[in-house]
Amino acid sequence: MTTAETRTEFAAGKLDGAREAAAPVADLAPVSGRLDDFDARLADVDRRADDLGDAVQEVLDMKGDGDLYEIARRVKRVTTAATEVQRAADDLQFEIDSFEGWLADSDRRVEELDADVDALAASVDELDAAVESLAADGEAAGSERGAAARWAAATVRHRVASLLIADVRAELAALRTWAEREGDAPPSGIGPRLDEVRARHETAGERVAARAEPEWTARFGDRLAALDEALDSMEPPVPWAEVEALVEEYRPAIDG
């Protein structure tokens, strides 16, 4: 219990230091977005640490009842919860340390953004492969239901990739502003690569839409439209945990 509280305090101290280090560029969305995410995670860890204190007090209050089995069960539950809080606080500290390294190293910022473009290109490659699968002739009898499911999955993949493109483009703009403020050379090479990936993404989306069969849109259209509407409010820096939750909530029920 004490260790969980201590680790949480360490994480809070690290976040204070990171916030101070980030002050000169805290107006840039990639910086403020990361800080906001850390704030939310710290608040959650802090709440869970407080809940541990309440749980420990409940166990202490039970000692007079003499129900040793129930006391042991509660102690085990508290111990498990304390371990989870410690792990969450440690993970947060690690990521704050990484954030401070990112703040201090312009080359690292560019390298990480370049890696994001690589990941985006790979996602578009997978989308292209999915479209090719949909367009392939000679599917076995009875596989139309499987084709409909693949079409719905490709539609979701295309929509999420569009958010990633917007997120990477916004971060690239912020890094250019950051470099200008510090008198550094702006990131080079990423913009053209991102434009090429975006063009491929748009083409793939057109092919996915053209492949849709009336039965598929009748089956999945409502849920896909609901997901699209829910994602419309997402703006850079994109809260990816929320996006994942929305995709999970509105993902078409393939077996339905």
Side-chain angles (χ1 to χ4, degrees), residues 166-192:
D167 211 32
V168 171
R169 186 172 296 279
E171 183 143 346
L172 176 58
L175 294 192
R176 286 170 172 162
T177 299
W178 198 336
E180 182 179 352
R181 289 183 186 180
E182 297 186 345
D184 294 334
S188 62
I190 295 179

PDB file of all heavy atoms in Angstrom, residues 166-192:
ATOM      1  N   ALA A 166      -4.390  12.541 -40.453  1.00  0.00           N
ATOM      2  CA  ALA A 166      -4.604  13.885 -39.910  1.00  0.00           C
ATOM      3  C   ALA A 166      -3.707  14.138 -38.709  1.00  0.00           C
ATOM      4  O   ALA A 166      -3.154  15.246 -38.550  1.00  0.00           O
ATOM      5  CB  ALA A 166      -6.076  14.063 -39.523  1.00  0.00           C
ATOM      6  N   ASP A 167      -3.529  13.117 -37.868  1.00  0.00           N
ATOM      7  CA  ASP A 167      -2.703  13.254 -36.671  1.00  0.00           C
ATOM      8  C   ASP A 167      -1.239  13.488 -37.054  1.00  0.00           C
ATOM      9  O   ASP A 167      -0.569  14.378 -36.503  1.00  0.00           O
ATOM     10  CB  ASP A 167      -2.829  11.986 -35.832  1.00  0.00           C
ATOM     11  CG  ASP A 167      -2.679  12.240 -34.342  1.00  0.00           C
ATOM     12  OD1 ASP A 167      -3.061  13.335 -33.881  1.00  0.00           O
ATOM     13  OD2 ASP A 167      -2.188  11.346 -33.639  1.00  0.00           O
ATOM     14  N   VAL A 168      -0.733  12.695 -38.004  1.00  0.00           N
ATOM     15  CA  VAL A 168       0.660  12.839 -38.432  1.00  0.00           C
ATOM     16  C   VAL A 168       0.873  14.187 -39.110  1.00  0.00           C
ATOM     17  O   VAL A 168       1.887  14.861 -38.886  1.00  0.00           O
ATOM     18  CB  VAL A 168       1.047  11.678 -39.368  1.00  0.00           C
ATOM     19  CG1 VAL A 168       2.420  11.919 -39.998  1.00  0.00           C
ATOM     20  CG2 VAL A 168       1.054  10.358 -38.607  1.00  0.00           C
ATOM     21  N   ARG A 169      -0.088  14.615 -39.935  1.00  0.00           N
ATOM     22  CA  ARG A 169       0.044  15.903 -40.612  1.00  0.00           C
ATOM     23  C   ARG A 169       0.082  17.048 -39.599  1.00  0.00           C
ATOM     24  O   ARG A 169       0.872  17.993 -39.746  1.00  0.00           O
ATOM     25  CB  ARG A 169      -1.117  16.085 -41.595  1.00  0.00           C
ATOM     26  CG  ARG A 169      -0.990  17.333 -42.460  1.00  0.00           C
ATOM     27  CD  ARG A 169      -2.062  17.345 -43.540  1.00  0.00           C
ATOM     28  NE  ARG A 169      -1.900  16.249 -44.463  1.00  0.00           N
ATOM     29  CZ  ARG A 169      -1.034  16.247 -45.478  1.00  0.00           C
ATOM     30  NH1 ARG A 169      -0.244  17.291 -45.674  1.00  0.00           N
ATOM     31  NH2 ARG A 169      -0.954  15.223 -46.281  1.00  0.00           N
ATOM     32  N   ALA A 170      -0.759  16.970 -38.576  1.00  0.00           N
ATOM     33  CA  ALA A 170      -0.775  18.012 -37.554  1.00  0.00           C
ATOM     34  C   ALA A 170       0.536  18.032 -36.772  1.00  0.00           C
ATOM     35  O   ALA A 170       1.070  19.104 -36.449  1.00  0.00           O
ATOM     36  CB  ALA A 170      -1.958  17.808 -36.611  1.00  0.00           C
ATOM     37  N   GLU A 171       1.064  16.850 -36.453  1.00  0.00           N
ATOM     38  CA  GLU A 171       2.327  16.810 -35.720  1.00  0.00           C
ATOM     39  C   GLU A 171       3.471  17.335 -36.581  1.00  0.00           C
ATOM     40  O   GLU A 171       4.373  18.010 -36.078  1.00  0.00           O
ATOM     41  CB  GLU A 171       2.621  15.387 -35.233  1.00  0.00           C
ATOM     42  CG  GLU A 171       3.889  15.294 -34.412  1.00  0.00           C
ATOM     43  CD  GLU A 171       3.802  14.312 -33.251  1.00  0.00           C
ATOM     44  OE1 GLU A 171       2.686  13.884 -32.913  1.00  0.00           O
ATOM     45  OE2 GLU A 171       4.850  14.015 -32.671  1.00  0.00           O
ATOM     46  N   LEU A 172       3.455  17.027 -37.868  1.00  0.00           N
ATOM     47  CA  LEU A 172       4.482  17.550 -38.765  1.00  0.00           C
ATOM     48  C   LEU A 172       4.446  19.079 -38.781  1.00  0.00           C
ATOM     49  O   LEU A 172       5.498  19.728 -38.718  1.00  0.00           O
ATOM     50  CB  LEU A 172       4.272  16.999 -40.176  1.00  0.00           C
ATOM     51  CG  LEU A 172       5.213  17.525 -41.257  1.00  0.00           C
ATOM     52  CD1 LEU A 172       6.670  17.243 -40.903  1.00  0.00           C
ATOM     53  CD2 LEU A 172       4.848  16.919 -42.617  1.00  0.00           C
ATOM     54  N   ALA A 173       3.252  19.654 -38.842  1.00  0.00           N
ATOM     55  CA  ALA A 173       3.131  21.114 -38.824  1.00  0.00           C
ATOM     56  C   ALA A 173       3.676  21.680 -37.522  1.00  0.00           C
ATOM     57  O   ALA A 173       4.368  22.715 -37.511  1.00  0.00           O
ATOM     58  CB  ALA A 173       1.669  21.522 -39.017  1.00  0.00           C
ATOM     59  N   ALA A 174       3.395  21.000 -36.404  1.00  0.00           N
ATOM     60  CA  ALA A 174       3.892  21.473 -35.107  1.00  0.00           C
ATOM     61  C   ALA A 174       5.411  21.381 -35.035  1.00  0.00           C
ATOM     62  O   ALA A 174       6.070  22.285 -34.502  1.00  0.00           O
ATOM     63  CB  ALA A 174       3.256  20.655 -33.984  1.00  0.00           C
ATOM     64  N   LEU A 175       5.998  20.315 -35.569  1.00  0.00           N
ATOM     65  CA  LEU A 175       7.456  20.185 -35.542  1.00  0.00           C
ATOM     66  C   LEU A 175       8.119  21.241 -36.415  1.00  0.00           C
ATOM     67  O   LEU A 175       9.221  21.714 -36.102  1.00  0.00           O
ATOM     68  CB  LEU A 175       7.875  18.783 -35.994  1.00  0.00           C
ATOM     69  CG  LEU A 175       7.488  17.605 -35.089  1.00  0.00           C
ATOM     70  CD1 LEU A 175       8.232  16.346 -35.516  1.00  0.00           C
ATOM     71  CD2 LEU A 175       7.741  17.907 -33.624  1.00  0.00           C
ATOM     72  N   ARG A 176       7.465  21.615 -37.493  1.00  0.00           N
ATOM     73  CA  ARG A 176       8.002  22.696 -38.323  1.00  0.00           C
ATOM     74  C   ARG A 176       8.007  24.015 -37.546  1.00  0.00           C
ATOM     75  O   ARG A 176       8.972  24.775 -37.594  1.00  0.00           O
ATOM     76  CB  ARG A 176       7.182  22.821 -39.604  1.00  0.00           C
ATOM     77  CG  ARG A 176       7.454  21.708 -40.618  1.00  0.00           C
ATOM     78  CD  ARG A 176       6.456  21.746 -41.755  1.00  0.00           C
ATOM     79  NE  ARG A 176       6.818  20.804 -42.822  1.00  0.00           N
ATOM     80  CZ  ARG A 176       5.979  20.374 -43.759  1.00  0.00           C
ATOM     81  NH1 ARG A 176       4.709  20.803 -43.742  1.00  0.00           N
ATOM     82  NH2 ARG A 176       6.381  19.528 -44.686  1.00  0.00           N
ATOM     83  N   THR A 177       6.904  24.277 -36.843  1.00  0.00           N
ATOM     84  CA  THR A 177       6.833  25.490 -36.017  1.00  0.00           C
ATOM     85  C   THR A 177       7.893  25.457 -34.928  1.00  0.00           C
ATOM     86  O   THR A 177       8.569  26.462 -34.659  1.00  0.00           O
ATOM     87  CB  THR A 177       5.435  25.619 -35.388  1.00  0.00           C
ATOM     88  OG1 THR A 177       4.453  25.716 -36.423  1.00  0.00           O
ATOM     89  CG2 THR A 177       5.352  26.830 -34.488  1.00  0.00           C
ATOM     90  N   TRP A 178       8.055  24.318 -34.303  1.00  0.00           N
ATOM     91  CA  TRP A 178       9.041  24.130 -33.236  1.00  0.00           C
ATOM     92  C   TRP A 178      10.449  24.404 -33.762  1.00  0.00           C
ATOM     93  O   TRP A 178      11.242  25.122 -33.142  1.00  0.00           O
ATOM     94  CB  TRP A 178       8.926  22.697 -32.728  1.00  0.00           C
ATOM     95  CG  TRP A 178       9.525  22.403 -31.395  1.00  0.00           C
ATOM     96  CD1 TRP A 178      10.535  23.082 -30.762  1.00  0.00           C
ATOM     97  CD2 TRP A 178       9.157  21.338 -30.514  1.00  0.00           C
ATOM     98  NE1 TRP A 178      10.828  22.498 -29.560  1.00  0.00           N
ATOM     99  CE2 TRP A 178       9.984  21.426 -29.379  1.00  0.00           C
ATOM    100  CE3 TRP A 178       8.222  20.313 -30.593  1.00  0.00           C
ATOM    101  CZ2 TRP A 178       9.900  20.510 -28.323  1.00  0.00           C
ATOM    102  CZ3 TRP A 178       8.121  19.413 -29.541  1.00  0.00           C
ATOM    103  CH2 TRP A 178       8.955  19.516 -28.424  1.00  0.00           C
ATOM    104  N   ALA A 179      10.765  23.836 -34.931  1.00  0.00           N
ATOM    105  CA  ALA A 179      12.089  24.035 -35.523  1.00  0.00           C
ATOM    106  C   ALA A 179      12.326  25.503 -35.856  1.00  0.00           C
ATOM    107  O   ALA A 179      13.427  26.042 -35.641  1.00  0.00           O
ATOM    108  CB  ALA A 179      12.225  23.177 -36.788  1.00  0.00           C
ATOM    109  N   GLU A 180      11.304  26.167 -36.350  1.00  0.00           N
ATOM    110  CA  GLU A 180      11.436  27.589 -36.681  1.00  0.00           C
ATOM    111  C   GLU A 180      11.732  28.416 -35.433  1.00  0.00           C
ATOM    112  O   GLU A 180      12.579  29.317 -35.455  1.00  0.00           O
ATOM    113  CB  GLU A 180      10.151  28.073 -37.352  1.00  0.00           C
ATOM    114  CG  GLU A 180      10.193  29.533 -37.791  1.00  0.00           C
ATOM    115  CD  GLU A 180       8.914  29.967 -38.473  1.00  0.00           C
ATOM    116  OE1 GLU A 180       8.043  29.107 -38.744  1.00  0.00           O
ATOM    117  OE2 GLU A 180       8.760  31.178 -38.720  1.00  0.00           O
ATOM    118  N   ARG A 181      11.059  28.105 -34.344  1.00  0.00           N
ATOM    119  CA  ARG A 181      11.296  28.842 -33.094  1.00  0.00           C
ATOM    120  C   ARG A 181      12.735  28.667 -32.607  1.00  0.00           C
ATOM    121  O   ARG A 181      13.323  29.613 -32.068  1.00  0.00           O
ATOM    122  CB  ARG A 181      10.337  28.352 -32.006  1.00  0.00           C
ATOM    123  CG  ARG A 181       8.902  28.748 -32.197  1.00  0.00           C
ATOM    124  CD  ARG A 181       8.078  28.260 -31.015  1.00  0.00           C
ATOM    125  NE  ARG A 181       6.662  28.487 -31.218  1.00  0.00           N
ATOM    126  CZ  ARG A 181       5.724  28.158 -30.331  1.00  0.00           C
ATOM    127  NH1 ARG A 181       6.082  27.571 -29.193  1.00  0.00           N
ATOM    128  NH2 ARG A 181       4.452  28.401 -30.583  1.00  0.00           N
ATOM    129  N   GLU A 182      13.273  27.458 -32.782  1.00  0.00           N
ATOM    130  CA  GLU A 182      14.603  27.173 -32.261  1.00  0.00           C
ATOM    131  C   GLU A 182      15.706  27.419 -33.283  1.00  0.00           C
ATOM    132  O   GLU A 182      16.884  27.187 -33.007  1.00  0.00           O
ATOM    133  CB  GLU A 182      14.662  25.723 -31.766  1.00  0.00           C
ATOM    134  CG  GLU A 182      13.707  25.458 -30.603  1.00  0.00           C
ATOM    135  CD  GLU A 182      13.867  24.071 -30.006  1.00  0.00           C
ATOM    136  OE1 GLU A 182      14.499  23.209 -30.653  1.00  0.00           O
ATOM    137  OE2 GLU A 182      13.362  23.857 -28.886  1.00  0.00           O
ATOM    138  N   GLY A 183      15.315  27.895 -34.476  1.00  0.00           N
ATOM    139  CA  GLY A 183      16.312  28.167 -35.496  1.00  0.00           C
ATOM    140  C   GLY A 183      16.913  26.928 -36.118  1.00  0.00           C
ATOM    141  O   GLY A 183      18.018  26.971 -36.674  1.00  0.00           O
ATOM    142  N   ASP A 184      16.188  25.798 -36.042  1.00  0.00           N
ATOM    143  CA  ASP A 184      16.669  24.545 -36.624  1.00  0.00           C
ATOM    144  C   ASP A 184      16.085  24.353 -38.018  1.00  0.00           C
ATOM    145  O   ASP A 184      15.105  25.005 -38.401  1.00  0.00           O
ATOM    146  CB  ASP A 184      16.257  23.352 -35.746  1.00  0.00           C
ATOM    147  CG  ASP A 184      16.940  23.365 -34.400  1.00  0.00           C
ATOM    148  OD1 ASP A 184      18.044  23.950 -34.294  1.00  0.00           O
ATOM    149  OD2 ASP A 184      16.369  22.798 -33.441  1.00  0.00           O
ATOM    150  N   ALA A 185      16.679  23.424 -38.762  1.00  0.00           N
ATOM    151  CA  ALA A 185      16.134  23.065 -40.069  1.00  0.00           C
ATOM    152  C   ALA A 185      14.828  22.309 -39.866  1.00  0.00           C
ATOM    153  O   ALA A 185      14.733  21.449 -38.978  1.00  0.00           O
ATOM    154  CB  ALA A 185      17.131  22.207 -40.837  1.00  0.00           C
ATOM    155  N   PRO A 186      13.806  22.593 -40.655  1.00  0.00           N
ATOM    156  CA  PRO A 186      12.531  21.881 -40.510  1.00  0.00           C
ATOM    157  C   PRO A 186      12.664  20.434 -40.961  1.00  0.00           C
ATOM    158  O   PRO A 186      13.586  20.084 -41.712  1.00  0.00           O
ATOM    159  CB  PRO A 186      11.590  22.661 -41.434  1.00  0.00           C
ATOM    160  CG  PRO A 186      12.493  23.244 -42.467  1.00  0.00           C
ATOM    161  CD  PRO A 186      13.779  23.569 -41.759  1.00  0.00           C
ATOM    162  N   PRO A 187      11.781  19.561 -40.499  1.00  0.00           N
ATOM    163  CA  PRO A 187      11.818  18.162 -40.946  1.00  0.00           C
ATOM    164  C   PRO A 187      11.729  18.082 -42.464  1.00  0.00           C
ATOM    165  O   PRO A 187      10.919  18.782 -43.081  1.00  0.00           O
ATOM    166  CB  PRO A 187      10.585  17.546 -40.284  1.00  0.00           C
ATOM    167  CG  PRO A 187      10.273  18.444 -39.145  1.00  0.00           C
ATOM    168  CD  PRO A 187      10.678  19.820 -39.569  1.00  0.00           C
ATOM    169  N   SER A 188      12.551  17.266 -43.075  1.00  0.00           N
ATOM    170  CA  SER A 188      12.547  17.151 -44.533  1.00  0.00           C
ATOM    171  C   SER A 188      12.216  15.711 -44.928  1.00  0.00           C
ATOM    172  O   SER A 188      12.541  14.768 -44.216  1.00  0.00           O
ATOM    173  CB  SER A 188      13.907  17.542 -45.111  1.00  0.00           C
ATOM    174  OG  SER A 188      14.929  16.681 -44.638  1.00  0.00           O
ATOM    175  N   GLY A 189      11.548  15.580 -46.034  1.00  0.00           N
ATOM    176  CA  GLY A 189      11.243  14.261 -46.572  1.00  0.00           C
ATOM    177  C   GLY A 189       9.945  13.656 -46.086  1.00  0.00           C
ATOM    178  O   GLY A 189       9.364  12.807 -46.770  1.00  0.00           O
ATOM    179  N   ILE A 190       9.476  14.078 -44.919  1.00  0.00           N
ATOM    180  CA  ILE A 190       8.261  13.465 -44.373  1.00  0.00           C
ATOM    181  C   ILE A 190       7.022  13.928 -45.134  1.00  0.00           C
ATOM    182  O   ILE A 190       6.127  13.127 -45.430  1.00  0.00           O
ATOM    183  CB  ILE A 190       8.132  13.776 -42.870  1.00  0.00           C
ATOM    184  CG1 ILE A 190       9.279  13.125 -42.094  1.00  0.00           C
ATOM    185  CG2 ILE A 190       6.794  13.280 -42.329  1.00  0.00           C
ATOM    186  CD1 ILE A 190       9.254  13.387 -40.608  1.00  0.00           C
ATOM    187  N   GLY A 191       6.967  15.218 -45.451  1.00  0.00           N
ATOM    188  CA  GLY A 191       5.796  15.763 -46.141  1.00  0.00           C
ATOM    189  C   GLY A 191       5.483  15.048 -47.444  1.00  0.00           C
ATOM    190  O   GLY A 191       4.337  14.582 -47.645  1.00  0.00           O
ATOM    191  N   PRO A 192       6.457  14.905 -48.359  1.00  0.00           N
ATOM    192  CA  PRO A 192       6.177  14.191 -49.619  1.00  0.00           C
ATOM    193  C   PRO A 192       5.759  12.748 -49.405  1.00  0.00           C
ATOM    194  O   PRO A 192       4.867  12.242 -50.098  1.00  0.00           O
ATOM    195  CB  PRO A 192       7.517  14.290 -50.368  1.00  0.00           C
ATOM    196  CG  PRO A 192       8.163  15.521 -49.823  1.00  0.00           C
ATOM    197  CD  PRO A 192       7.773  15.556 -48.379  1.00  0.00           C
TER     198      PRO A 192
END
